[in-house]
Amino acid sequence: MQARTLHDQATPNGQGFRDVTPAAVAGLRDTLHIVDVRQPAEFTGELGHIPGAVLVPLATLAAAARAWDPSAEIVLVCRSGGRSSSAAAHLVAAGFSRVMNMTGGMLAYRAQGLPSEP
């Protein structure tokens, strides 16, 4: 029997992607493709970023995604969950099948005291 993945455990929503908690992302961050869609100053700013996250500002997402495996698990992150939700919907529309949005963004992640980098 195959182990359940984070995507399998995440909460489906009506937009075709799934919502995942900051704690779930933190627990598996070494094995996930985490894409932070904020601006560079936000990525290195006050809230920092999740260790291992890749910065892909929202405006450059479509171009960057062309190089990604559309069947890979991808977690999108932003400040509060709004931009990453839009990014997740865009990836689903582009044919990505295992897309997740981290609910509450970095605000929720940091509020829970989870590991971050400046």
Side-chain angles (χ1 to χ4, degrees):
M1 184 169 152
Q2 186 177 3
R4 288 182 46 144
T5 66
L6 181 58
H7 184 267
D8 295 335
Q9 298 172 45
T11 305
N13 66 39
Q15 298 179 55
F17 57 87
R18 295 182 179 211
D19 293 317
V20 64
T21 66
V25 172
L28 295 171
R29 71 180 187 276
D30 294 335
T31 64
L32 295 172
H33 182 72
I34 303 170
V35 177
D36 193 315
V37 297
R38 296 176 296 162
Q39 294 298 310
E42 293 175 284
F43 189 75
T44 59
E46 176 184 342
L47 294 174
H49 58 272
I50 299 170
V54 176
L55 176 64
V56 180
L58 186 56
T60 66
L61 181 70
R66 290 186 198 118
W68 301 340
D69 177 355
S71 65
E73 287 193 339
I74 298 172
V75 177
L76 294 145
V77 177
C78 68
R79 180 178 181 274
S80 64
R83 281 176 282 180
S84 56
S85 180
S86 295
H90 173 80
L91 290 181
V92 167
F96 285 77
S97 59
R98 300 177 66 74
V99 179
M100 294 167 277
N101 176 51
M102 188 177 79
T103 56
M106 285 303 294
L107 289 171
Y109 187 92
R110 289 298 303 268
Q112 293 177 29
L114 299 168
S116 64
E117 296 178 339

